[in-house]
Amino acid sequence: MRTPVLDFTNTEHLDRLPKGRVLHVIYSMKQGGAERLLLDDVVAQESPGDGQGEFPGLVVCWNHEGILAEQLRTAGVPYLVLDRRLRPIWKLPLFLSDLRTLVSSIRKIATITQAPIIHGHLIDSTLLAALASNGKTTKSVTTIYSNHVIPMSIPKGGAKYAIWNAIARWSLKRVDRVVSISTDVTQTLVKGFGVPEENLIERPISVEAVTLTRSAPEARALFDVADNELCLAFVGRLVENKNQACLIRMVGILRSRGVPVRLLLVGDGPDKDMLSQTAREHDVADHVRLLGHYKDLPAVMAACDIFVTASKSEGVSLALLEAMSAEVPIVSTNNEGNSDLLKDGIGTLVTGTTDTALADAVEALWRDDTARSRQVATAKAFFDTYRRASVEAGGSNFVYRDVLSMGPA
């Protein structure tokens, strides 16, 4: 059952919400990297143990619910859907009116629930956290998950980008603490947006290892993958930046070479219909499966021979880390983010950016058992070291204790 939209003319149900929780503010709980990391954090805080449970959360989806909200309900994490919007910033009077209403709503929730911290996720919610907190009874934190602080949908060089750049700079300096998920993101925040280093906390992301629960033959049978077929998989949002159309065209190239191949695309998003059309246009519709929001990730990992991505840019890819943990070899375009994560033999980085270059790399790895085994061992060792470091970093508890120790502004 969908959580009812909050009616701010009646605060009766707000009074029934648990008090003293961290208020997490995000556009929605759609299927995405930032949303998954937030989900993992708040669910962990609902299960005291191993240092968790100190800072339970209340999630505010200020635009719409999103598919991951179901998992919030299952875990017992309280959340609200505000059904608000921010119209384009270049429509300034409307934007300011929307912003005023939204900030007032979030501030009201924080006051009634006695939230000690408002935690914004991504840059639009950073602005909301900065404006809704007061620095005294309520502190503000934001997490930036990518080098692309400003959404990639806003092209650089134009007036729209300049306005968002100014807003981002102000917001990032106004919040009490800025959390970065990697050294690259930290450098971007300091050099590109002027975030004071003393306000930054670098917290490596933590991803649970994928435990395979089926044998490869059992998993392949779920997706009608034959024993002799090369099974490729991708997990992520179906959006332009992920460039899944390149993967579909690559399937056509491989099949033209006589390589029996099947591609599993896990995820949903606005490009779904376009990708289905691309598969039909390249006569590979029978060899590409769009699985949507498929919940059994271990089955996908057990079925596939190679995890493949043609993304144009990434922050720290959760899907790549999960593939490493499942001991699945990886082929990736040499893009920002993935190039650092997959260096030193952890994955195969494709030098060119064409469909053919990606097909060449996939076919070469498929035909070289030794190379695949060597890559899997290197990647698994890296994952184990990376996860240990992320756990030792202290997690969200460290961040929240730090910001609360500041005292009133």
Side-chain angles (χ1 to χ4, degrees):
M1 182 178 68
R2 188 183 189 279
T3 296
V5 173
L6 188 63
D7 178 2
F8 282 98
T9 63
N10 184 346
T11 61
E12 179 184 353
H13 53 311
L14 274 182
D15 291 333
R16 294 198 299 267
L17 286 170
K19 304 294 190 292
R21 288 179 170 241
V22 174
L23 199 66
H24 294 275
V25 179
I26 194 163
Y27 179 81
S28 79
M29 288 301 291
K30 64 184 181 182
Q31 177 69 36
E35 293 78 10
R36 281 190 55 203
L37 290 169
L38 170 56
L39 175 67
D40 289 347
D41 253 9
V42 294
V43 169
Q45 291 287 356
E46 291 298 312
S47 305
D50 296 327
Q52 298 296 337
E54 185 178 350
F55 292 98
L58 165 62
V59 177
V60 175
C61 302
W62 57 265
N63 185 269
H64 67 280
E65 189 174 65
I67 196 167
L68 295 182
E70 176 187 348
Q71 295 181 50
L72 292 177
R73 286 196 296 273
T74 300
V77 178
Y79 74 97
L80 301 169
V81 182
L82 304 191
D83 198 25
R84 305 290 185 184
R85 63 173 176 169
L86 286 176
R87 277 169 283 196
I89 197 168
W90 37 98
K91 298 181 178 179
L92 192 58
L94 295 175
F95 174 84
L96 291 176
S97 175
D98 294 341
L99 182 63
R100 187 179 302 110
T101 300
L102 186 50
V103 170
S104 175
S105 300
I106 294 170
R107 188 178 289 142
K108 186 174 187 177
I109 297 168
T111 299
I112 291 175
T113 64
Q114 301 169 21
I117 298 168
I118 299 176
H119 189 156
H121 298 266
L122 304 171
I123 197 60
D124 46 9
S125 297
T126 302
L127 173 63
L128 299 176
L131 290 169
S133 62
N134 59 27
K136 296 178 181 178
T137 57
T138 308
K139 295 293 186 181
S140 56
V141 173
T142 189
T143 301
I144 302 299
Y145 297 89
S146 168
N147 285 318
H148 293 282
V149 176
I150 299 171
M152 293 182 67
S153 58
I154 303 175
K156 292 183 179 180
K160 297 176 184 178
Y161 186 89
I163 294 171
W164 261 111
N165 186 279
I167 288 176
R169 284 175 168 271
W170 181 87
S171 303
L172 289 165
K173 292 177 182 178
R174 172 66 175 76
V175 293
D176 295 303
R177 286 291 183 268
V178 177
V179 180
S180 159
I181 65 166
S182 72
T183 300
D184 283 347
V185 174
T186 297
Q187 292 175 349
T188 296
L189 291 169
V190 172
K191 296 178 181 178
F193 291 87
V195 177
E197 291 190 36
E198 60 271 20
N199 285 355
L200 267 164
I201 296 176
E202 192 171 302
R203 180 195 167 196
I205 63 175
S206 177
V207 176
E208 291 292 336
V210 174
T211 301
L212 303 185
T213 55
R214 290 181 173 87
S215 67
E218 289 173 333
R220 291 166 78 91
L222 287 175
F223 307 109
D224 299 320
V225 179
D227 292 342
N228 69 324
E229 281 187 303
L230 164 61
C231 185
L232 307 175
F234 171 87
V235 179
R237 287 266 294 161
L238 305 184
V239 292
E240 192 271 338
N241 178 58
K242 301 296 185 181
N243 199 23
Q244 293 98 342
C246 175
L247 301 180
I248 293 173
R249 295 190 297 267
M250 176 198 66
V251 169
I253 293 171
L254 290 171
R255 291 197 59 79
S256 71
R257 296 175 180 177
V259 177
V261 59
R262 187 174 298 264
L263 173 64
L264 308 178
L265 293 178
V266 180
D268 210 342
D271 282 5
K272 180 179 179 179
D273 291 342
M274 179 274 289
L275 294 171
S276 295
Q277 178 63 27
T278 301
R280 290 191 293 271
E281 290 173 352
H282 289 79
D283 199 27
V284 293
D286 291 340
H287 309 284
V288 176
R289 291 195 60 180
L290 280 79
L291 298 173
H293 181 58
Y294 193 80
K295 295 181 180 180
D296 194 351
L297 180 61
V300 175
M301 292 296 183
C304 74
D305 299 296
I306 298 173
F307 188 95
V308 61
T309 173
S311 292
K312 298 176 182 178
S313 179
E314 293 282 358
V316 176
S317 171
L318 305 186
L320 290 188
L321 290 170
E322 288 167 336
M324 293 177 200
S325 75
E327 302 186 24
V328 177
I330 297 166
V331 173
S332 169
T333 43
N334 193 3
N335 61 47
E336 181 183 46
N338 287 0
S339 60
D340 187 60
L341 194 62
L342 299 177
K343 63 186 178 182
D344 301 326
I346 295 169
T348 298
L349 289 167
V350 179
T351 303
T353 58
T354 65
D355 310 337
T356 301
L358 200 62
D360 290 343
V362 167
E363 184 177 5
L365 187 61
W366 179 56
R367 297 189 185 281
D368 191 337
D369 294 343
T370 302
R372 290 201 309 278
S373 297
R374 184 169 56 245
Q375 187 192 112
V376 163
T378 302
K380 185 62 164 60
F382 169 81
F383 175 84
D384 291 341
T385 302
Y386 181 94
R387 171 152 175 73
R388 186 164 57 251
S390 66
V391 171
E392 290 172 354
S396 56
N397 286 350
F398 173 81
V399 174
Y400 298 145
R401 290 188 202 118
D402 177 71
V403 73
L404 291 177
S405 71
M406 297 171 59

